[in-house]
């Protein structure tokens, strides 16, 4: 890149330092890229952040939906694990995300209703159902029926259940319908029919959680539905007495307790059960556990005594089904929402006391879930990983995989690849269907977020081919194309767009959003001509009837901008004028006032640029005057000064260009562009080359430091001040500037450039003070050895290292340093590819080494070294040929 003269001097700025510098000296106009970035930041579906290339952006929809989907997933998982209190928390949070899709919002509402029903929060469940789920859905009617039943209105429950036909429910909810139908029949005294439906529910239940909940519900339903009489109580009391100390005594005692409960004589019922607990020894553990479970059901599992009994059931060994009922009843207790650590400690104690516990895998999953909720990621990961390792056949395996993915996503920063690996394992265990498709979508999103765009694109493409994808096809297309763009498969992205256009449910709006992203990527890859041709073709085929006004304007703006970028000097002004005219004549209702102002300001800036490109400076000035008058505080108004400054600089009028740049900082001191403007003004002043201009540049740079101490430009301003001090031969001031930067910015990405400049200053000082050679040598040697630096930078440092040694008279070490550079970065089998700067410095290394060998009398060795210029196609061919002299036949130019 040329420095000074008629061009802005950008050499010392990172290409990510500002949106102003992204496309310097590219195309017909320096600021074509700037305006594109400004418009895109306001209008494009993919946000373009200042200073960050489009290729590094994440789609807003994706980054917004990921947290919502993971939170929803965590809630559904907690509900499936049997911890409704956790599920309630996650699902409530998921419903607060505005970017949750309508389908997922309905899923969350249904699940939250189920959690609240399980927690006996009936009023909240009714409100949730009404707010989030359409009342005509069979799943909503099923929950309405469950709600009515729980509140004791069996007739209302039966009526609601009739409106939830079995065929209208997903398979996962059909067991619950059979269960509820059986409970209603039990309440009506039709025990035989009820048992048939109970058996259907049991056989269709997919998890241990469901089976345990079903058994509890059936037991509770039978207790509630029985028709007891005092006479029946007397009969059973007599049977208990007659069967003292026999196994039948326990059975008759349980039936007696149930009868007493049905007659609202709860205290007597509990006394009967307590008597049995006191009488039975530890050898009768299974019978005691059954009594404990019945006691908890009769008293209410949330009562302190019931909690104690349920915990006793879980301790030690016992019948698995009874222990399962106890576990899931405990998990529903509201006290554990307030004291989750207490429940967690209890579960951990159970596993310590009984290493071969029948529910070991299920308890591990509980422990993992509770730790995840408490933010204890390492214990959560250990518990879930142990379940997978020790219980490969566990019914909780799939939930453990999902939970491990959730843990990976909660890490800081999120471990997208790890989460994707777990979900990929889970995906392999699922059959084709909606659940697998949703998981594939989430997996594709994780690949995308991890930067694995090729795998993401493959999954998006697979989902696009499905007849019923898990996402609207237009949204899916946008992700498919964007992932292809990020994978730098732009032609594949174009093919995917062409294929999507032929689909019967093609979405014009989203299709054009994806086209926009592709064309922006083509521009970034210096294929603006291809983008322009594609846009022209598409616009000629589609008259925009199905597009929103905002998108149509965006495309017209892009057409004009591409015409400008591709050098269509005559066409660009007319296209820009057409866009401005369209905005001026649109009815007020066609576009929001704020959007009109934003787009019109960008269009006027583009029009001014186009007019300058066509050589009509007077018309451009009038356009800019309108822009600044109508939209004085807009970004395009600010940028118009930069455009004019660029024109003046291109004509060699650097002082006038400098004034334009300074005007930005003077008129808009609070603008984000103000420090960039001051930096540009300093570069223009420096380009004028006089001592007075250098001093002026230093003053402008100092203004950045004083007025904008938090700006990213402070670093570059200080660096440039040091460079200018070197031009003025004030090496002491330069070293102060460089040392200050190294102390203040120890981790800055451009630190190596500061170290190189500092070493250059020591090298310059060594001409008058030989004691400085050591500092320069050490600095260049260190930079050459740093593995994190680019190959180009290390080759430059290597040349200067050898040069310092040569200047200091240490010729042998100089020859060794030069050869080390050649060996590592030119001749090595795995030598990195050098760009222009690296090839230039390598050529200097080769020539300097050849000269040293020649001066020592090693003529043949010197000729061998000079020949490397031709062998590796380095610059300096003529110099090397002249030094080979008459033996130039040895020179094999590549």
């Amino acid at each position: 890149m040329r420095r000074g003269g008629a061009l802005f001097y950008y050499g010392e700025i990172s290409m990510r330092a500002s949106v102003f510098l992204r496309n310097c000296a590219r195309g017909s106009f320096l600021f074509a890229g700037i305006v594109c970035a400004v418009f895109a930041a306001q209008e494009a579906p993919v946000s373009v952040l200042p200073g960050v290339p489009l290729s590094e952006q994440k789609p807003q929809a994706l980054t917004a939906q990921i947290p919502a989907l993971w939170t929803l997933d965590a809630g559904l998982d907690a509900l499936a694990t049997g911890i409704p209190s956790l599920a309630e928390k996650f699902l409530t949070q998921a419903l607060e995300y505005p970017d949750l899709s309508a389908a997922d919002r309905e899923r969350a509402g249904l699940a939250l209703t189920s959690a609240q029903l399980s927690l006996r929060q009936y009023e909240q469940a009714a409100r949730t159902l009404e707010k989030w789920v359409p009342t005509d859905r069979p799943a909503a009617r099923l929950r309405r029926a469950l709600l009515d039943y729980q509140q004791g209105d069996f007739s209302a429950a039966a009526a609601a259940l009739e409106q939830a036909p079995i065929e209208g429910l997903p398979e996962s909810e059909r067991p619950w319908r059979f269960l509820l139908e059986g409970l209603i029949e039990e309440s009506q005294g039709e025990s035989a029919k009820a048992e048939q439906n109970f058996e259907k529910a049991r056989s269709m239940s997919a998890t241990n959680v469901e089976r345990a909940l079903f058994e509890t519900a059936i037991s509770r339903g039978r207790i509630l539905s029985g028709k007891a009489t005092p006479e029946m109580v007397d009969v059973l009391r007599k049977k208990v007495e007659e069967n003292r100390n026999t196994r039948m005594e326990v059975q008759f005692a349980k039936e007696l307790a149930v009868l007493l409960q049905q007659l609202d004589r709860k205290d007597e019922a509990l006394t009967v059960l307590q008597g049995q607990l006191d009488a039975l020894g530890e050898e009768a553990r299974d019978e005691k556990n059954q009594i404990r479970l019945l006691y908890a059901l009769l008293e209410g599992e949330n009562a302190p005594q019931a909690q104690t009994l349920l915990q006793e059931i879980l301790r030690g060994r016992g019948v698995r089904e009874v222990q399962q009922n106890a576990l899931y009843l405990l998990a529903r207790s509201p006290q554990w929402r307030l004291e989750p650590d207490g429940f967690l400690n209890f579960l951990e104690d159970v596993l310590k006391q009984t290493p071969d516990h029948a529910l070991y895998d299920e308890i591990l999953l509980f422990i993992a879930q509770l730790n995840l909720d408490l933010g204890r990621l390492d214990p959560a990961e250990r518990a879930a990983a142990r379940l997978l390792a020790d219980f490969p056949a566990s019914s909780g395996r799939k939930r453990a995989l999902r939970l491990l993915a959730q843990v990976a996503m909660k890490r800081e920063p999120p471990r997208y690849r790890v989460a994707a690996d777990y979900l990929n394992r889970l995906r392999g265990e699922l059959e084709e269907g909606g659940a697998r498709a949703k998981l594939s979508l989430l997996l594709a999103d994780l690949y995308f977020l991890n930067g694995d765009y090729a795998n993401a694109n493959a999954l998006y493409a697979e989902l696009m081919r499905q007849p019923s994808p898990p996402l609207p096809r237009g949204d899916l297309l946008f992700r498919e194309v964007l992932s292809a763009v990020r994978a730098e498969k732009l032609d594949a992205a174009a093919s995917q767009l062409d294929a999507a256009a032929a689909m019967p449910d093609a979405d014009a709006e989203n299709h054009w959003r994806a086209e926009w992203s592709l064309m922006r990527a083509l521009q970034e890859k210096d294929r603006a001509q291809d983008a322009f041709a594609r846009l022209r073709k598409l616009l000629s085929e589609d008259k925009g009837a199905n597009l929103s006004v905002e998108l149509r304007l965006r495309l017209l703006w892009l057409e004009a901008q591409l015409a400008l970028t591709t050098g269509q000097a005559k066409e660009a002004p007319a296209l820009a004028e057409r866009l401005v005219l369209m905005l001026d004549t649109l009815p007020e209702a066609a576009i929001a006032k704020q959007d009109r102002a934003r787009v019109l300001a960008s269009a006027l800036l583009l029009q001014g640029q186009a007019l300058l490109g066509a050589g009509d400076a007077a018309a451009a000035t009038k356009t800019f005057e309108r822009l600044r008058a109508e939209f004085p505080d807009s970004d395009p108004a600010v940028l118009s000064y930069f455009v004019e400054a660029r024109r003046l600089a291109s004509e060699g009028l650097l002082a006038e260009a400098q004034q334009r740049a300074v005007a930005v900082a003077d008129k808009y001191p609070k603008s984000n562009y103000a420090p960039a403007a001051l930096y540009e003004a300093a570069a223009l002043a420096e380009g004028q080359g006089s001592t007075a201009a250098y001093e002026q540049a230093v003053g402008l740079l100092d203004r950045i430091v004083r007025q904008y101490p938090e700006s990213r430009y402070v670093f570059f301003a200080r660096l440039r001040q040091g460079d200018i001090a070197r031009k003025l031969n004030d090496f002491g001031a330069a070293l102060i500037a460089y040392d200050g930067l190294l102390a203040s910015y120890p981790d800055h990405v451009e630190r190596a450039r500061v170290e190189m400049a500092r070493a250059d200053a020591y090298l310059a000082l060594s001409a008058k003070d030989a004691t400085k050679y050591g500092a320069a040598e050490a600095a260049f040697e260190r930079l050459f050895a740093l593995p994190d630096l680019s190959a180009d930078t290390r080759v430059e440092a290597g040349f200067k290292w050898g040069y310092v040694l040569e200047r200091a008279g240490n010729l042998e070490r100089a020859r060794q340093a030069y050869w080390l550079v050649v060996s590592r970065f030119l001749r090595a089998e795995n030598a990195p590819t050098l760009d222009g700067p690296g090839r230039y410095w390598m050529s200097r290394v080769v020539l300097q080494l050849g000269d040293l060998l020649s001066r020592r009398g090693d003529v043949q060795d010197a000729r061998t070294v000079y020949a490397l210029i031709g062998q590796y196609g380095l610059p300096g061919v003529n110099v090397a040929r002249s030094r080979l002299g008459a033996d130039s036949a040895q020179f094999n130019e590549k």
Side-chain angles (χ1 to χ4, degrees):
M1 185 181 296
R2 287 182 290 164
R3 301 187 176 190
L7 287 182
F8 288 6
Y9 177 31
Y10 293 106
E12 314 311 348
I13 294 190
S14 162
M15 293 309 289
R16 295 185 187 179
S18 166
V19 70
F20 291 99
L21 309 176
R22 285 180 50 223
N23 293 308
C24 62
R26 288 175 57 184
S28 302
F29 280 86
L30 176 64
F31 289 96
I34 296 174
V35 184
C36 189
V38 170
F39 189 93
Q42 297 163 344
E43 297 293 320
V46 182
S47 171
V48 179
L49 303 180
V52 182
L54 177 69
S55 59
E56 296 186 10
Q57 299 299 307
K58 293 182 174 64
Q60 292 173 343
L62 178 56
T63 52
Q65 287 178 5
I66 281 288
L69 291 174
W70 278 106
T71 305
L72 171 58
D73 203 49
L76 296 172
D77 205 33
L79 190 62
T81 304
I83 316 178
S85 58
L86 286 190
E88 180 194 23
K89 182 188 301 183
F90 284 121
L91 294 167
T92 301
Q93 184 182 348
L95 287 167
E96 292 172 357
Y97 282 98
D99 295 285
L100 199 65
S101 69
D104 285 328
R105 196 170 298 282
E106 185 174 324
R107 287 175 67 209
L110 286 168
L112 179 56
T113 303
S114 297
Q116 290 166 336
L117 279 168
S118 185
L119 293 168
R120 302 188 184 181
Q121 298 173 356
Y122 302 133
E123 292 183 5
Q124 295 96 314
R127 286 196 297 268
T128 298
L129 194 61
E130 183 177 355
K131 182 176 182 179
W132 298 112
V133 186
T135 56
D136 61 342
R137 298 282 198 272
R141 288 170 175 162
L142 174 61
R143 282 160 180 77
R144 181 69 255 178
L146 283 165
L147 187 58
D148 290 334
Y149 178 84
Q150 294 278 29
Q151 293 175 303
D153 193 342
F154 299 157
S155 59
L161 196 62
E162 287 182 4
Q163 296 181 324
I166 193 75
E167 59 273 8
L169 294 170
E171 287 189 20
S172 61
E173 298 203 352
R174 292 180 183 182
W176 289 91
R177 193 192 186 285
F178 286 121
L179 172 70
L180 183 55
E181 189 171 357
L183 290 172
I184 292 171
E185 290 167 342
E186 185 76 47
S187 70
Q188 296 169 343
E190 301 181 24
S191 298
K193 289 184 179 179
E195 186 54 42
Q196 290 177 356
N197 281 309
F198 291 154
E199 189 52 41
K200 289 180 183 177
R202 291 188 190 99
S203 63
M204 294 176 67
S205 59
T207 66
N208 292 335
V209 178
E210 277 191 346
R211 281 187 286 274
L213 292 176
F214 288 172
E215 292 302 335
T216 301
I218 291 167
S219 298
R220 195 188 303 276
R222 285 171 172 163
I223 291 170
L224 292 174
S225 62
K227 305 218 176 0
T229 64
E231 291 76 17
M232 293 170 64
V233 169
D234 293 338
V235 170
L236 275 178
R237 279 193 190 279
K238 185 176 180 180
K239 288 187 176 292
V240 170
E241 290 299 328
E242 290 174 350
N243 290 276
R244 284 291 181 194
N245 301 319
T246 69
R247 297 191 63 176
M248 291 302 297
E249 177 189 358
V250 175
Q251 183 60 37
F252 288 132
K254 290 192 293 183
E255 293 178 15
L256 174 60
V258 170
L259 286 176
L260 290 168
Q261 176 74 21
Q262 291 169 353
L263 292 171
D264 292 328
R265 293 157 64 177
K266 177 178 176 180
D267 290 343
E268 292 182 56
L270 297 179
T271 299
V272 169
L273 295 178
Q274 186 62 55
Q276 291 297 312
L277 290 174
D278 293 339
L280 289 170
E282 285 306 314
E283 72 282 356
R285 179 174 182 83
D286 291 342
E287 289 82 358
K288 290 189 77 168
N289 279 347
Q290 292 175 8
I291 295 291
R292 287 166 177 148
L293 182 61
L294 181 56
Y295 191 111
L297 289 173
L298 295 184
E299 186 184 24
E301 60 266 27
N302 296 331
Q305 176 65 7
Q307 290 283 302
T308 300
L309 292 174
L310 292 172
Q311 291 181 36
E312 289 177 3
I313 294 173
L314 271 180
R315 294 188 188 278
R317 298 173 182 79
V319 175
R320 180 184 180 91
E321 289 73 16
V322 175
Q323 289 190 313
Q324 277 182 327
N325 287 333
L327 175 62
Y328 295 115
L329 283 173
L330 278 172
R332 291 164 54 182
S333 171
Q335 81 176 76
W336 302 126
R337 282 179 287 174
L338 303 175
E339 303 173 30
D341 275 320
F343 191 32
L344 186 57
N345 292 336
F346 164 70
L347 294 176
E348 290 173 344
D349 285 343
V350 167
L351 295 187
K352 287 178 184 177
Q353 294 169 10
T354 314
D356 58 346
H357 200 287
L359 302 183
Y360 206 109
D361 58 330
E362 296 182 51
I363 293 175
L364 273 177
L365 193 57
F366 267 81
I367 290 172
Q369 282 278 9
L370 291 167
N371 275 305
L372 178 63
D373 178 57
L374 293 170
R376 299 167 186 166
L377 302 184
D378 290 340
E381 185 175 42
R382 284 196 298 270
R386 185 176 177 189
L387 187 152
L388 292 178
D390 294 351
F391 303 93
S394 170
S395 62
R397 174 181 171 80
K398 294 176 184 177
R399 292 201 299 281
L401 286 169
R402 194 179 292 273
L403 187 141
L404 285 167
Q406 292 164 4
V407 168
M409 284 296 293
K410 281 184 172 288
R411 298 286 185 184
E412 190 57 47
R415 298 177 182 175
Y416 299 124
R417 183 72 209 193
V418 175
D421 288 343
Y422 284 123
L423 289 189
N424 206 19
R425 289 170 62 183
L426 176 58
R427 181 171 173 262
E429 299 185 12
L430 296 179
E431 297 179 0
E432 292 291 341
R436 193 173 192 272
K438 284 182 179 292
L439 197 64
S440 295
L441 175 61
L442 192 55
L443 182 58
D445 290 346
L446 288 176
Y447 282 140
F448 187 101
L449 291 172
N450 192 55
D452 188 354
Y453 301 122
N455 275 333
N457 182 257
L459 278 174
Y460 290 137
E462 176 186 315
L463 292 169
M464 276 290 289
R465 293 192 294 270
Q466 292 189 2
S468 300
L471 198 68
R473 206 176 296 278
D475 292 335
L476 196 55
L477 171 67
F478 179 66
R479 297 187 191 190
E480 179 190 27
V481 171
L482 197 59
S483 59
V485 166
R486 301 295 168 78
E488 299 188 356
K489 297 180 178 180
L490 303 188
D491 294 331
S495 298
Q496 289 167 352
L497 277 163
D498 294 341
M503 292 183 177
D505 56 348
D507 177 347
E509 188 83 5
N510 274 304
H511 186 97
W512 278 104
R513 289 173 68 237
E515 289 282 3
W516 170 280
S517 298
L518 171 60
M519 291 173 200
R520 291 281 291 112
L522 287 168
Q523 284 182 281
E524 284 197 348
K525 295 297 181 182
D526 294 322
R527 293 177 59 183
Q529 194 67 53
D530 292 343
F532 189 46
R534 183 173 180 85
L535 179 60
R536 274 293 173 82
K537 179 177 181 294
L538 291 167
L539 287 175
S540 67
E541 294 172 353
D542 188 331
K543 303 305 180 183
N546 297 323
L547 303 184
S548 66
V549 172
E550 290 85 353
L551 181 55
R552 185 66 180 170
L553 288 171
R554 186 190 305 158
L555 293 169
L556 293 175
W557 178 88
L558 182 59
E559 183 183 21
Q561 192 271 331
L562 285 170
L564 183 65
T565 303
T566 55
Q568 312 291 325
K570 294 183 178 179
E571 193 172 1
L575 292 172
E577 184 179 4
R578 180 185 65 173
L579 177 60
V580 172
L581 182 62
M582 181 178 177
L583 284 160
D584 283 338
T585 57
L586 271 176
E588 287 188 10
I591 184 173
K593 184 177 180 180
Q594 183 178 359
D595 292 337
R596 181 196 298 270
R598 186 170 62 245
V599 178
L600 181 54
S602 295
L604 287 169
L605 177 60
L606 180 60
Q607 185 181 24
Q609 286 181 282
L611 290 167
L612 281 178
D616 194 344
T621 299
K622 288 184 180 179
T623 300
F624 289 145
E625 287 174 352
R626 177 187 172 187
L627 168 60
R628 294 164 190 166
E630 294 185 16
F631 310 103
D633 297 323
S634 66
D635 281 352
V638 177
L639 293 175
S640 67
Y641 289 96
F642 284 95
V643 174
E644 287 189 322
R646 191 272 170 201
R647 177 180 64 84
L648 292 167
S650 68
E651 296 172 359
L653 302 173
L654 300 187
E656 291 86 341
Q658 177 188 336
Q659 291 174 4
R660 282 287 194 280
V662 172
V664 173
D666 291 341
K667 289 177 177 289
Y668 307 97
K670 295 183 179 179
S671 169
N672 291 332
Y673 300 125
L678 290 172
Y679 191 93
E680 301 307 330
L684 288 163
E686 185 182 352
Q688 296 169 49
S690 67
T691 300
Y694 286 155
E695 292 173 349
Q696 203 175 28
V698 171
L700 290 166
L701 294 168
D702 198 53
R703 186 174 164 186
I704 295 174
V705 177
R706 286 185 288 102
Q707 294 184 3
Y708 306 98
E710 302 301 320
S711 170
R712 70 182 71 182
Y713 284 96
V714 169
F715 176 90
F716 298 103
R718 286 299 191 206
L719 177 57
R720 198 178 196 102
Q721 284 179 326
D723 294 344
I724 293 174
R726 277 197 291 150
K727 287 185 178 182
L728 294 170
N729 293 321
D730 189 352
F731 297 108
L735 286 171
I736 290 173
Y738 298 145
D739 287 339
L741 280 173
L742 293 174
S744 302
Y745 300 91
D747 301 319
H748 199 282
V749 292
E750 300 290 349
R751 178 184 173 89
R753 291 177 52 210
V754 182
E755 293 194 46
M756 186 77 77
R758 178 174 174 270
D760 285 339
Y762 276 116
L763 179 59
L765 283 171
S766 66
K768 295 182 179 180
D769 183 357
T771 63
K772 304 299 183 186
Y773 279 124
E777 176 194 339
F780 288 130
E781 183 179 7
R782 177 181 177 278
L783 287 168
F784 175 72
L786 286 176
D788 293 337
L789 298 185
S790 70
D792 288 357
T793 300
R794 293 179 68 187
V795 170
E796 178 185 355
F799 168 79
K800 291 178 178 178
W801 175 32
Y803 186 70
V804 170
L805 290 166
E806 188 178 344
R807 285 270 298 271
N810 196 341
L811 301 185
E812 183 58 35
R813 284 200 64 207
R815 285 190 290 271
Q816 291 173 0
Y818 288 140
W819 181 249
L820 193 58
V821 178
V822 171
S823 176
R824 287 188 184 178
F825 292 95
L826 188 65
R827 290 175 53 78
E829 209 172 291
N830 58 346
T833 301
L834 299 176
D835 292 327
R839 290 165 54 75
Y840 163 78
W841 289 110
M842 182 60 78
S843 180
R844 293 197 63 181
V845 168
V846 171
L847 293 172
Q848 206 71 14
L849 176 59
D851 290 350
L852 283 179
L853 291 169
S854 180
R855 289 203 299 269
R856 194 175 69 173
D858 296 335
V859 178
Q860 186 58 43
D861 288 348
R863 288 174 174 169
T864 301
V865 169
Y866 289 138
L868 294 175
I869 297 286
Q871 291 173 22
Y872 290 94
L874 296 173
V877 170
N878 292 332
V879 177
R881 194 188 301 275
S882 68
R883 292 182 185 176
L884 283 167
D887 198 19
S888 60
Q890 182 180 347
F891 186 89
N892 298 316
E893 186 173 349
K894 209 169 189 179

